[in-house]
Amino acid sequence: MTDEDFRRLCDFLYRRSGMVFTEAKRYFVERRLAERMRVTGATSFASYFARLRSDQPGEVEPFINAFTVNETYFFREEHQLQCLSTDLLPARLMERPAGRPLRIWSVPCSTGEEPYSIAIWLLEHWPQVDAYEIEIVGSDIDTRALEAARAGLFGRRALMRLPEALIGKYFEPVDDEHWRLIADLRQSIHFSTVNLVDLAQTRAHGRFDVIFCRNVLIYFDEASRRMAAENLYENLLPGGFICLGHSESMSRISPLFEVRRFADAIIYQRPGERGDG
Amino acid sequence: MPLIRARAGEAAALPADRASLIAALEGGSAGERLHAARALAALPGAVAPLSAALHVEAEPAVREVIFTALARLGCEEAADALLPLLRARQASLRNGALAALAAMPGRLPARLPALLADPDADIRLLACELARALPAPEATTLLCAVVERESEPNVCAAALDVLTELGGPQALPVLERGARRFDATPFLRFAFEVAIRRIRASADTDP
Amino acid sequence: MAEAGRARILVVDDAGLVRLYYRQALEAVGFAVEEALNGVEALEKLLRAPADLVIVDVNMPLMDGITFLRALRRQPLPLAALPALVTSTEAGAGDVAAARAAGANLYLVKPLEPAALVLHARLLCGVPA
Ligand SMILES: C[S@@+](CC[C@H](N)C(=O)[O-])C[C@H]1O[C@@H](n2cnc3c(N)ncnc32)[C@H](O)[C@@H]1O
């Protein structure tokens, strides 16, 4: 790959996803590009790049995939969980009418690590957890992933970021390599099927105080991203928050949300209703 | 365990028939207008009420979802409703319309040549950006023609920006001629240099 | 990341060639430069790390320059007071007036000459030549 090809590719990635790769990351980019060219049988950068630009046949998703971590695990992006308990929930409590539960949506939740992490985090780190009703919903399009989520059986890799003490407290060992989440916790999360780009399906889930929508929109094409973001906007209460994944930026998705900076994370917010709402 | 298992969703009941959606779009709260615009897009005959709303709607979020809805409809009528907004005085309307048109590449080939030849340089400039949504060969042909005849530096620069991303070797002779015409403008000199360098690099490495 | 003591400029434009051109001109005289492609990304970047000046185009996808300026001026201080140089293609009366009303400190017509860019950047950042 020439210098100019490298720039062309980085410009494309930047325009499409917001991810920035500098000269220092050249080796990283080249390795992934070489792998994709090998898999697709492309014989030159120009022919691969043409395929990528036209996204035929669906080359953007595997390409972006090569630059991101697709595997989900407990306490992934812990700083956002920290932000949830320190800033987001306290902000929501100020707006919440008495008696309404706080609702949190993990979508997509894949095999459940994310919604269970939210539950464990709040039990451990949010002193007010006993004072309010909290509903956590986990949804995904993949019904097999949801089955695994409900079963709550996890391997070593999924637990690598969890402190030993928490594994002891919330899991029961099944064998040397597997742990099952305690029944109380498994039963506290409601799992459901949803396609993020289907308005009727997202709508049926009601409105939430906080939505975690991490590591999925980056793979969608522009139209689907906008559609999903607008669906999620309607799933948020006015003033509600949405968290994206680490490599994702709302600047490539939708202008509907306000950008908010908290101590631990950049979070997006549905604006409060102005008078007429 | 204080966490409670969620009940089924609690979505508010909303009108679904065309007449009530149009009424909500015209007179509802911001949240209702937003929902009505999105729901209306699923019913036939949505372009007229949606584009009418666009001209009077003051809430940016509602405008955005109308642009998305028109883009998804993607029909000739939707494209024609968006075109005049490229001339809007408000930057947000211009750019919303631009994004929606870019999302319907099938409607562009019939409209781009006229836009690229528009007497208003700002329209020609936005039209160059629309060409980015086309397959590379078509875009290259249209934009090379722009570079050949364009006298306004900013329009030419917009064409170069897109060619830098997608241009193939057939653009090189045109770019070399164009570079001489704009030699006196530093930014254009730079833009031509980068575009030529980038296109030449991948042309060289092609087997 | 800006080095200590170097004034930092955020260039906001959806044209990659424009961002690259400004970057080279500004870095050549010692500014640290960051880039954003639209108003939303500019807000994200400014909320992550402060800047001394933002140079912003009017026509951009998802969030145009005028909408960005309004959102910027609504931020808490000191961000709300960040100097903003707006650039656009036509000296169209509409854009100039809208940019002024939205809180632009200066409006320049594209294409910019590097000398003018550097001169105004220095003035707005309070950096001596
Ligand atoms: C990489 S995982 C993200 C899991 C978790 N949020 C995380 O960040 O670790 C992506 C998930 O998105 C789901 N997904 C893909 N398309 C979807 C759609 N249209 N609607 C809902 N979920 C979808 C996949 O089934 C997969 O489980």
PDB file of all heavy atoms in Angstrom, chain A residues 188-214:
ATOM      1  N   SER A 188     -33.783 -11.054  37.333  1.00  0.00           N
ATOM      2  CA  SER A 188     -34.061  -9.626  37.472  1.00  0.00           C
ATOM      3  C   SER A 188     -34.015  -8.891  36.131  1.00  0.00           C
ATOM      4  O   SER A 188     -34.395  -7.746  36.026  1.00  0.00           O
ATOM      5  CB  SER A 188     -33.065  -8.987  38.441  1.00  0.00           C
ATOM      6  OG  SER A 188     -31.797  -8.934  37.844  1.00  0.00           O
ATOM      7  N   ILE A 189     -33.531  -9.568  35.092  1.00  0.00           N
ATOM      8  CA  ILE A 189     -33.455  -8.912  33.782  1.00  0.00           C
ATOM      9  C   ILE A 189     -34.512  -9.501  32.858  1.00  0.00           C
ATOM     10  O   ILE A 189     -34.676 -10.720  32.791  1.00  0.00           O
ATOM     11  CB  ILE A 189     -32.075  -9.148  33.120  1.00  0.00           C
ATOM     12  CG1 ILE A 189     -30.946  -8.858  34.097  1.00  0.00           C
ATOM     13  CG2 ILE A 189     -31.962  -8.364  31.817  1.00  0.00           C
ATOM     14  CD1 ILE A 189     -30.443  -7.487  34.140  1.00  0.00           C
ATOM     15  N   HIS A 190     -35.182  -8.631  32.142  1.00  0.00           N
ATOM     16  CA  HIS A 190     -36.149  -9.094  31.163  1.00  0.00           C
ATOM     17  C   HIS A 190     -35.492  -9.093  29.794  1.00  0.00           C
ATOM     18  O   HIS A 190     -34.953  -8.079  29.368  1.00  0.00           O
ATOM     19  CB  HIS A 190     -37.373  -8.166  31.175  1.00  0.00           C
ATOM     20  CG  HIS A 190     -38.384  -8.501  30.131  1.00  0.00           C
ATOM     21  ND1 HIS A 190     -39.268  -9.533  30.281  1.00  0.00           N
ATOM     22  CD2 HIS A 190     -38.631  -7.958  28.920  1.00  0.00           C
ATOM     23  CE1 HIS A 190     -40.033  -9.606  29.190  1.00  0.00           C
ATOM     24  NE2 HIS A 190     -39.661  -8.671  28.351  1.00  0.00           N
ATOM     25  N   PHE A 191     -35.505 -10.238  29.118  1.00  0.00           N
ATOM     26  CA  PHE A 191     -34.899 -10.310  27.786  1.00  0.00           C
ATOM     27  C   PHE A 191     -35.970 -10.363  26.706  1.00  0.00           C
ATOM     28  O   PHE A 191     -37.012 -10.994  26.900  1.00  0.00           O
ATOM     29  CB  PHE A 191     -34.000 -11.552  27.671  1.00  0.00           C
ATOM     30  CG  PHE A 191     -32.723 -11.407  28.460  1.00  0.00           C
ATOM     31  CD1 PHE A 191     -32.580 -12.029  29.696  1.00  0.00           C
ATOM     32  CD2 PHE A 191     -31.676 -10.632  27.971  1.00  0.00           C
ATOM     33  CE1 PHE A 191     -31.408 -11.884  30.429  1.00  0.00           C
ATOM     34  CE2 PHE A 191     -30.501 -10.486  28.694  1.00  0.00           C
ATOM     35  CZ  PHE A 191     -30.364 -11.110  29.928  1.00  0.00           C
ATOM     36  N   SER A 192     -35.707  -9.706  25.582  1.00  0.00           N
ATOM     37  CA  SER A 192     -36.698  -9.691  24.508  1.00  0.00           C
ATOM     38  C   SER A 192     -36.006  -9.573  23.157  1.00  0.00           C
ATOM     39  O   SER A 192     -34.857  -9.143  23.059  1.00  0.00           O
ATOM     40  CB  SER A 192     -37.645  -8.509  24.686  1.00  0.00           C
ATOM     41  OG  SER A 192     -36.939  -7.311  24.437  1.00  0.00           O
ATOM     42  N   THR A 193     -36.754  -9.919  22.123  1.00  0.00           N
ATOM     43  CA  THR A 193     -36.226  -9.814  20.753  1.00  0.00           C
ATOM     44  C   THR A 193     -36.561  -8.447  20.191  1.00  0.00           C
ATOM     45  O   THR A 193     -37.681  -7.961  20.369  1.00  0.00           O
ATOM     46  CB  THR A 193     -36.899 -10.877  19.860  1.00  0.00           C
ATOM     47  OG1 THR A 193     -36.862 -12.113  20.540  1.00  0.00           O
ATOM     48  CG2 THR A 193     -36.187 -10.994  18.532  1.00  0.00           C
ATOM     49  N   VAL A 194     -35.613  -7.835  19.511  1.00  0.00           N
ATOM     50  CA  VAL A 194     -35.915  -6.569  18.851  1.00  0.00           C
ATOM     51  C   VAL A 194     -35.014  -6.391  17.641  1.00  0.00           C
ATOM     52  O   VAL A 194     -33.846  -6.785  17.649  1.00  0.00           O
ATOM     53  CB  VAL A 194     -35.745  -5.369  19.809  1.00  0.00           C
ATOM     54  CG1 VAL A 194     -34.274  -4.962  19.964  1.00  0.00           C
ATOM     55  CG2 VAL A 194     -36.529  -4.153  19.302  1.00  0.00           C
ATOM     56  N   ASN A 195     -35.601  -5.826  16.586  1.00  0.00           N
ATOM     57  CA  ASN A 195     -34.795  -5.349  15.472  1.00  0.00           C
ATOM     58  C   ASN A 195     -34.754  -3.823  15.590  1.00  0.00           C
ATOM     59  O   ASN A 195     -35.786  -3.163  15.502  1.00  0.00           O
ATOM     60  CB  ASN A 195     -35.433  -5.778  14.149  1.00  0.00           C
ATOM     61  CG  ASN A 195     -34.620  -5.298  12.969  1.00  0.00           C
ATOM     62  OD1 ASN A 195     -33.685  -4.516  13.127  1.00  0.00           O
ATOM     63  ND2 ASN A 195     -34.979  -5.761  11.787  1.00  0.00           N
ATOM     64  N   LEU A 196     -33.567  -3.289  15.782  1.00  0.00           N
ATOM     65  CA  LEU A 196     -33.428  -1.850  16.051  1.00  0.00           C
ATOM     66  C   LEU A 196     -33.980  -0.961  14.954  1.00  0.00           C
ATOM     67  O   LEU A 196     -34.294   0.200  15.206  1.00  0.00           O
ATOM     68  CB  LEU A 196     -31.944  -1.510  16.245  1.00  0.00           C
ATOM     69  CG  LEU A 196     -31.393  -1.706  17.640  1.00  0.00           C
ATOM     70  CD1 LEU A 196     -29.877  -1.582  17.617  1.00  0.00           C
ATOM     71  CD2 LEU A 196     -31.995  -0.669  18.588  1.00  0.00           C
ATOM     72  N   VAL A 197     -34.060  -1.463  13.735  1.00  0.00           N
ATOM     73  CA  VAL A 197     -34.552  -0.595  12.668  1.00  0.00           C
ATOM     74  C   VAL A 197     -36.062  -0.756  12.440  1.00  0.00           C
ATOM     75  O   VAL A 197     -36.614  -0.181  11.514  1.00  0.00           O
ATOM     76  CB  VAL A 197     -33.798  -0.802  11.331  1.00  0.00           C
ATOM     77  CG1 VAL A 197     -32.351  -0.393  11.472  1.00  0.00           C
ATOM     78  CG2 VAL A 197     -33.899  -2.234  10.863  1.00  0.00           C
ATOM     79  N   ASP A 198     -36.728  -1.516  13.308  1.00  0.00           N
ATOM     80  CA  ASP A 198     -38.165  -1.721  13.155  1.00  0.00           C
ATOM     81  C   ASP A 198     -38.924  -0.914  14.207  1.00  0.00           C
ATOM     82  O   ASP A 198     -38.900  -1.227  15.397  1.00  0.00           O
ATOM     83  CB  ASP A 198     -38.460  -3.230  13.292  1.00  0.00           C
ATOM     84  CG  ASP A 198     -39.928  -3.543  13.057  1.00  0.00           C
ATOM     85  OD1 ASP A 198     -40.796  -2.749  13.490  1.00  0.00           O
ATOM     86  OD2 ASP A 198     -40.212  -4.586  12.440  1.00  0.00           O
ATOM     87  N   LEU A 199     -39.594   0.126  13.741  1.00  0.00           N
ATOM     88  CA  LEU A 199     -40.257   1.062  14.659  1.00  0.00           C
ATOM     89  C   LEU A 199     -41.284   0.372  15.556  1.00  0.00           C
ATOM     90  O   LEU A 199     -41.342   0.622  16.755  1.00  0.00           O
ATOM     91  CB  LEU A 199     -40.920   2.197  13.860  1.00  0.00           C
ATOM     92  CG  LEU A 199     -41.767   3.195  14.652  1.00  0.00           C
ATOM     93  CD1 LEU A 199     -40.954   3.884  15.734  1.00  0.00           C
ATOM     94  CD2 LEU A 199     -42.387   4.241  13.732  1.00  0.00           C
ATOM     95  N   ALA A 200     -42.101  -0.528  14.974  1.00  0.00           N
ATOM     96  CA  ALA A 200     -43.130  -1.172  15.793  1.00  0.00           C
ATOM     97  C   ALA A 200     -42.490  -1.984  16.913  1.00  0.00           C
ATOM     98  O   ALA A 200     -42.953  -1.975  18.058  1.00  0.00           O
ATOM     99  CB  ALA A 200     -44.013  -2.060  14.913  1.00  0.00           C
ATOM    100  N   GLN A 201     -41.379  -2.667  16.581  1.00  0.00           N
ATOM    101  CA  GLN A 201     -40.727  -3.504  17.600  1.00  0.00           C
ATOM    102  C   GLN A 201     -40.050  -2.673  18.688  1.00  0.00           C
ATOM    103  O   GLN A 201     -40.139  -3.000  19.872  1.00  0.00           O
ATOM    104  CB  GLN A 201     -39.676  -4.408  16.945  1.00  0.00           C
ATOM    105  CG  GLN A 201     -40.288  -5.513  16.106  1.00  0.00           C
ATOM    106  CD  GLN A 201     -39.223  -6.438  15.544  1.00  0.00           C
ATOM    107  OE1 GLN A 201     -38.133  -6.576  16.096  1.00  0.00           O
ATOM    108  NE2 GLN A 201     -39.543  -7.088  14.441  1.00  0.00           N
ATOM    109  N   THR A 202     -39.379  -1.610  18.312  1.00  0.00           N
ATOM    110  CA  THR A 202     -38.711  -0.812  19.349  1.00  0.00           C
ATOM    111  C   THR A 202     -39.764  -0.118  20.208  1.00  0.00           C
ATOM    112  O   THR A 202     -39.660  -0.068  21.427  1.00  0.00           O
ATOM    113  CB  THR A 202     -37.769   0.248  18.741  1.00  0.00           C
ATOM    114  OG1 THR A 202     -38.482   1.018  17.772  1.00  0.00           O
ATOM    115  CG2 THR A 202     -36.569  -0.399  18.083  1.00  0.00           C
ATOM    116  N   ARG A 203     -40.788   0.367  19.545  1.00  0.00           N
ATOM    117  CA  ARG A 203     -41.833   1.087  20.239  1.00  0.00           C
ATOM    118  C   ARG A 203     -42.496   0.251  21.331  1.00  0.00           C
ATOM    119  O   ARG A 203     -42.825   0.751  22.407  1.00  0.00           O
ATOM    120  CB  ARG A 203     -42.884   1.509  19.213  1.00  0.00           C
ATOM    121  CG  ARG A 203     -43.536   2.762  19.626  1.00  0.00           C
ATOM    122  CD  ARG A 203     -44.584   3.282  18.757  1.00  0.00           C
ATOM    123  NE  ARG A 203     -45.378   4.104  19.641  1.00  0.00           N
ATOM    124  CZ  ARG A 203     -44.956   5.241  20.153  1.00  0.00           C
ATOM    125  NH1 ARG A 203     -43.784   5.740  19.836  1.00  0.00           N
ATOM    126  NH2 ARG A 203     -45.717   5.892  21.002  1.00  0.00           N
ATOM    127  N   ALA A 204     -42.663  -1.031  21.035  1.00  0.00           N
ATOM    128  CA  ALA A 204     -43.334  -1.919  21.990  1.00  0.00           C
ATOM    129  C   ALA A 204     -42.553  -2.031  23.302  1.00  0.00           C
ATOM    130  O   ALA A 204     -43.082  -2.519  24.297  1.00  0.00           O
ATOM    131  CB  ALA A 204     -43.503  -3.306  21.360  1.00  0.00           C
ATOM    132  N   HIS A 205     -41.314  -1.587  23.317  1.00  0.00           N
ATOM    133  CA  HIS A 205     -40.519  -1.680  24.543  1.00  0.00           C
ATOM    134  C   HIS A 205     -40.717  -0.500  25.490  1.00  0.00           C
ATOM    135  O   HIS A 205     -40.165  -0.490  26.589  1.00  0.00           O
ATOM    136  CB  HIS A 205     -39.025  -1.832  24.201  1.00  0.00           C
ATOM    137  CG  HIS A 205     -38.700  -3.207  23.705  1.00  0.00           C
ATOM    138  ND1 HIS A 205     -38.993  -3.613  22.430  1.00  0.00           N
ATOM    139  CD2 HIS A 205     -38.146  -4.269  24.320  1.00  0.00           C
ATOM    140  CE1 HIS A 205     -38.617  -4.880  22.285  1.00  0.00           C
ATOM    141  NE2 HIS A 205     -38.103  -5.300  23.422  1.00  0.00           N
ATOM    142  N   GLY A 206     -41.465   0.490  25.069  1.00  0.00           N
ATOM    143  CA  GLY A 206     -41.734   1.617  25.965  1.00  0.00           C
ATOM    144  C   GLY A 206     -40.566   2.589  26.042  1.00  0.00           C
ATOM    145  O   GLY A 206     -39.625   2.515  25.252  1.00  0.00           O
ATOM    146  N   ARG A 207     -40.651   3.481  27.026  1.00  0.00           N
ATOM    147  CA  ARG A 207     -39.635   4.529  27.103  1.00  0.00           C
ATOM    148  C   ARG A 207     -38.697   4.311  28.289  1.00  0.00           C
ATOM    149  O   ARG A 207     -39.083   3.807  29.331  1.00  0.00           O
ATOM    150  CB  ARG A 207     -40.320   5.889  27.205  1.00  0.00           C
ATOM    151  CG  ARG A 207     -41.178   6.130  25.954  1.00  0.00           C
ATOM    152  CD  ARG A 207     -41.178   7.565  25.537  1.00  0.00           C
ATOM    153  NE  ARG A 207     -42.100   8.365  26.312  1.00  0.00           N
ATOM    154  CZ  ARG A 207     -42.270   9.673  26.092  1.00  0.00           C
ATOM    155  NH1 ARG A 207     -41.572  10.295  25.147  1.00  0.00           N
ATOM    156  NH2 ARG A 207     -43.126  10.354  26.816  1.00  0.00           N
ATOM    157  N   PHE A 208     -37.453   4.723  28.089  1.00  0.00           N
ATOM    158  CA  PHE A 208     -36.392   4.436  29.057  1.00  0.00           C
ATOM    159  C   PHE A 208     -35.717   5.715  29.543  1.00  0.00           C
ATOM    160  O   PHE A 208     -35.741   6.748  28.884  1.00  0.00           O
ATOM    161  CB  PHE A 208     -35.333   3.526  28.423  1.00  0.00           C
ATOM    162  CG  PHE A 208     -35.848   2.157  28.110  1.00  0.00           C
ATOM    163  CD1 PHE A 208     -36.507   1.906  26.910  1.00  0.00           C
ATOM    164  CD2 PHE A 208     -35.705   1.114  29.023  1.00  0.00           C
ATOM    165  CE1 PHE A 208     -37.009   0.645  26.625  1.00  0.00           C
ATOM    166  CE2 PHE A 208     -36.199  -0.148  28.743  1.00  0.00           C
ATOM    167  CZ  PHE A 208     -36.851  -0.386  27.538  1.00  0.00           C
ATOM    168  N   ASP A 209     -35.085   5.595  30.718  1.00  0.00           N
ATOM    169  CA  ASP A 209     -34.267   6.683  31.247  1.00  0.00           C
ATOM    170  C   ASP A 209     -32.878   6.674  30.635  1.00  0.00           C
ATOM    171  O   ASP A 209     -32.307   7.718  30.359  1.00  0.00           O
ATOM    172  CB  ASP A 209     -34.153   6.552  32.767  1.00  0.00           C
ATOM    173  CG  ASP A 209     -35.489   6.812  33.445  1.00  0.00           C
ATOM    174  OD1 ASP A 209     -35.842   7.985  33.584  1.00  0.00           O
ATOM    175  OD2 ASP A 209     -36.183   5.833  33.789  1.00  0.00           O
ATOM    176  N   VAL A 210     -32.329   5.457  30.459  1.00  0.00           N
ATOM    177  CA  VAL A 210     -30.985   5.327  29.901  1.00  0.00           C
ATOM    178  C   VAL A 210     -30.973   4.138  28.934  1.00  0.00           C
ATOM    179  O   VAL A 210     -31.523   3.079  29.249  1.00  0.00           O
ATOM    180  CB  VAL A 210     -29.926   5.075  31.005  1.00  0.00           C
ATOM    181  CG1 VAL A 210     -28.530   4.961  30.391  1.00  0.00           C
ATOM    182  CG2 VAL A 210     -29.963   6.173  32.062  1.00  0.00           C
ATOM    183  N   ILE A 211     -30.366   4.357  27.761  1.00  0.00           N
ATOM    184  CA  ILE A 211     -30.205   3.268  26.799  1.00  0.00           C
ATOM    185  C   ILE A 211     -28.716   3.054  26.538  1.00  0.00           C
ATOM    186  O   ILE A 211     -27.982   4.013  26.305  1.00  0.00           O
ATOM    187  CB  ILE A 211     -30.920   3.593  25.466  1.00  0.00           C
ATOM    188  CG1 ILE A 211     -32.430   3.713  25.678  1.00  0.00           C
ATOM    189  CG2 ILE A 211     -30.617   2.522  24.417  1.00  0.00           C
ATOM    190  CD1 ILE A 211     -33.211   4.118  24.420  1.00  0.00           C
ATOM    191  N   PHE A 212     -28.290   1.814  26.615  1.00  0.00           N
ATOM    192  CA  PHE A 212     -26.945   1.452  26.176  1.00  0.00           C
ATOM    193  C   PHE A 212     -27.093   0.847  24.783  1.00  0.00           C
ATOM    194  O   PHE A 212     -27.723  -0.211  24.644  1.00  0.00           O
ATOM    195  CB  PHE A 212     -26.312   0.422  27.111  1.00  0.00           C
ATOM    196  CG  PHE A 212     -25.867   1.009  28.427  1.00  0.00           C
ATOM    197  CD1 PHE A 212     -26.778   1.295  29.431  1.00  0.00           C
ATOM    198  CD2 PHE A 212     -24.527   1.299  28.642  1.00  0.00           C
ATOM    199  CE1 PHE A 212     -26.369   1.854  30.634  1.00  0.00           C
ATOM    200  CE2 PHE A 212     -24.110   1.853  29.843  1.00  0.00           C
ATOM    201  CZ  PHE A 212     -25.026   2.141  30.849  1.00  0.00           C
ATOM    202  N   CYS A 213     -26.561   1.510  23.780  1.00  0.00           N
ATOM    203  CA  CYS A 213     -26.617   0.963  22.418  1.00  0.00           C
ATOM    204  C   CYS A 213     -25.188   0.939  21.907  1.00  0.00           C
ATOM    205  O   CYS A 213     -24.725   1.845  21.227  1.00  0.00           O
ATOM    206  CB  CYS A 213     -27.509   1.808  21.526  1.00  0.00           C
ATOM    207  SG  CYS A 213     -27.641   1.095  19.870  1.00  0.00           S
ATOM    208  N   ARG A 214     -24.465  -0.111  22.269  1.00  0.00           N
ATOM    209  CA  ARG A 214     -23.027  -0.119  22.037  1.00  0.00           C
ATOM    210  C   ARG A 214     -22.622  -1.166  21.020  1.00  0.00           C
ATOM    211  O   ARG A 214     -23.057  -2.319  21.076  1.00  0.00           O
ATOM    212  CB  ARG A 214     -22.306  -0.379  23.367  1.00  0.00           C
ATOM    213  CG  ARG A 214     -22.812   0.582  24.461  1.00  0.00           C
ATOM    214  CD  ARG A 214     -21.902   0.640  25.660  1.00  0.00           C
ATOM    215  NE  ARG A 214     -21.810  -0.614  26.355  1.00  0.00           N
ATOM    216  CZ  ARG A 214     -21.168  -0.765  27.517  1.00  0.00           C
ATOM    217  NH1 ARG A 214     -20.569   0.280  28.087  1.00  0.00           N
ATOM    218  NH2 ARG A 214     -21.110  -1.937  28.089  1.00  0.00           N
TER     219      ARG A 214
END
